[in-house]
């Protein structure tokens, strides 16, 4: 069964520091994709970044990058130069059997 | 603003009742997904419709049903409501049928069953 694990329930980081949010996955699918979503306190889910398992380069979108290590089955999200507005829940997800499967999330708090 | 709209924003109802949640996808998107987010279960996929047809099914209870209409809006019907159905219900849409395509989430409907 597909499984996504986010081991950090909460993280506290100083503003302007870089932060890494961990995500490991368990899959037997030969081809798969990893997603990261952000959920601010207002509740909406915001797509951040996507990495396909066959992509050669790590995905980047502005201050977000995905540290994809296939052998370790990890897809960590790196946020550079964190800002107060980055405080939110962050969810890692992957596709399994035609459905998006989410991890339990990490609550990130950026301190001024 | 993702372009996906959901109504109502909040809903409070009693156990045993039936409610309907409505979703309008982004203009041009053919797929609609429904998700449930609760404290104990996390964020779970319920069902996907593509161009009016059911495409994929997740952990959707038999008391729940959904449909997608010819104008592509979708409704999620929840019946015989229980306290445990209290959750945030999201609708998302994407251009095509592939789950790997970027999904745009609506603001959610917060359902409280008392």
């Amino acid at each position: 069964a597909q499984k996504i694990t986010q081991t950090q329930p909460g993280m506290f980081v100083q503003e302007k520091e870089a932060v890494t949010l961990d995500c490991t996955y368990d899959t037997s699918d030969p081809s798969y994709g990893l997603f990261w979503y952000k959920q601010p306190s207002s509740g909406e889910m915001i797509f951040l970044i996507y990495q396909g398992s066959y992509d050669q380069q790590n995905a980047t979108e502005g201050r977000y990058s995905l540290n994809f290590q296939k052998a370790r089955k990890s897809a960590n999200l790196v946020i550079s130069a964190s800002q107060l507005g980055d405080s939110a829940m962050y969810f890692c997800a992957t596709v399994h059997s035609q459905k998006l499967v989410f991890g339990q999330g990490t609550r990130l708090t950026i301190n001024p | 603003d993702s372009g996906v709209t959901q109504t109502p924003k909040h809903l409070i109802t009693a156990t045993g009742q039936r409610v309907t949640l409505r979703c309008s996808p982004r203009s041009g998107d053919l797929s609609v997904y429904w998700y449930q987010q609760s404290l104990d279960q996390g964020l779970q996929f319920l069902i996907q419709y593509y161009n009016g047809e059911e495409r994929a099914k997740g952990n959707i209870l038999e008391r729940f049903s959904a449909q997608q209409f010819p104008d592509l809006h979708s409704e999620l019907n929840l019946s015989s409501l229980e306290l445990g159905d209290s959750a945030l219900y999201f609708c998302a849409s994407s251009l095509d049928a592939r789950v790997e395509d970027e999904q745009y989430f609506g603001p959610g409907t917060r359902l409280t069953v008392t």
Side-chain angles (χ1 to χ4, degrees), chain A residues 35 39 43 45 47 98-99, chain B residues 37 43 45 90 99-100 102:
Chain A
F35 300 78
Q39 186 177 35
M45 295 287 289
F47 167 80
Q98 294 295 313
K99 59 188 180 191
Chain B
Q37 186 178 31
L43 192 54
F45 165 75
F90 285 109
V99 181
E100 293 82 359
E102 181 178 341

Side-chain angles (χ1 to χ4, degrees), chain A residues 18-30:
Chain A
V19 57
T20 298
L21 304 181
D22 294 342
C23 172
T24 57
Y25 57 91
D26 181 15
T27 180
S28 53
D29 293 345

Side-chain angles (χ1 to χ4, degrees), chain A residues 59-110:
Chain A
T60 58
E61 289 285 347
R63 293 187 300 112
Y64 304 108
S65 61
L66 210 152
N67 184 3
F68 185 48
Q69 297 185 46
K70 206 168 175 178
R72 298 178 66 180
K73 293 192 173 180
S74 77
N76 299 336
L77 177 71
V78 180
I79 307 175
S80 62
S82 58
Q83 302 170 357
L84 296 179
D86 294 333
S87 293
M89 282 289 288
Y90 288 81
F91 292 93
C92 181
T94 190
V95 175
H96 173 66
S97 297
Q98 294 295 313
K99 59 188 180 191
L100 209 51
V101 176
F102 290 85
Q104 288 299 103
T106 295
R107 183 171 297 282
L108 175 64
T109 303
I110 307 298

Side-chain angles (χ1 to χ4, degrees), chain B residues 25-43:
Chain B
R26 286 188 328 154
S27 178
D29 284 358
L30 296 178
S31 269
V32 168
Y33 308 79
W34 285 98
Y35 294 88
Q36 179 194 58
Q37 186 178 31
S38 61
L39 282 174
D40 53 342
Q41 299 283 348
L43 192 54

